[in-house]
Amino acid sequence: MEIYLVRHTTPKIEKGICYGQTDLDVAATFENEVAVILNSLEITQETSVYSSPLKRCTKLAQQFSDNILIDDRLMELNFGDWELLKWDNLPKKASTIWMNDFVNVSTPNGEAYIDLANRANEAFTEIISTSAKKLIITTHAGVIRSLLSKINNIHLKDSFDIQVEYGQVFKIIKQNNMLTLL
C-alpha cells in the first residue's frame, strides 16, 4: 500500500496567528501549490482520499478526487481560547506552562498534543487497515508530525524537529504490516 500524507497549502491568514482548528480558506497561491503537489503524487482511479473537514484540507483533497472521506480526527490541534490570537500575545503564564509540556498540557479550553496524537493515530490505523492500494490523506502539520513520530519511533516532544511545510508530501509504504517513510 502507498500512503501519501499531504499538508494543506498556505492558509489565508496573517503570519504569527494561532489558528489550529479555525476553518480558514486558502491563500491566492493555491493553484500554484496544487500543481507542485500533483507532481509528487501518483493518483489512479483506485486511490482513496481522506481529509480533515477543514476547508484548507478539503479544497486540496478535491483536487485529487470527487469522492473524499472526511474524518474529524484528522483536524489540527484545538487551541481553544488561543484560536486566532497572535502567538506573541498569548497569556505569558499559561503559554509558558503549555510550552514546557505541550505534549500533556492542554491549551485553555483546547487540547494537549497527546490528545491530537491519540485521535490521529486511531484514524490512521483504521484508514490503513482498508483494502485500498493507494491512499492520500490531506491534513495538518500537527497530525503529520504525530503520525511520523509514531512511524519513526520519535517521542512526541521531539516531533517538532520534523519539518512539515505547506503542501509537503510524505510517502509511506505499508508492506507486511510494516510502515516505511520514503
Side-chain angles (χ1 to χ4, degrees), residues 75-89:
M75 285 199 293
E76 184 58 278
L77 188 75
N78 178 354
F79 283 102
D81 295 347
W82 294 352
E83 292 278 336
L84 296 180
L85 294 180
K86 289 188 176 195
W87 283 101
D88 292 341
N89 293 344

Side-chain angles (χ1 to χ4, degrees), residues 85-104:
L85 294 180
K86 289 188 176 195
W87 283 101
D88 292 341
N89 293 344
L90 295 179
K92 289 288 183 223
K93 184 177 180 183
S95 64
T96 300
I97 292 169
W98 179 74
M99 290 285 204
N100 287 336
D101 188 11
F102 64 89
V103 172
N104 299 299

Side-chain angles (χ1 to χ4, degrees), residues 18-41:
C18 179
Y19 59 85
Q21 290 189 3
T22 300
D23 200 11
L24 302 172
D25 205 345
V26 295
T29 55
F30 180 70
E31 294 298 328
N32 292 334
E33 292 178 76
V34 168
V36 172
I37 294 166
L38 287 171
N39 284 330
S40 302
L41 301 173

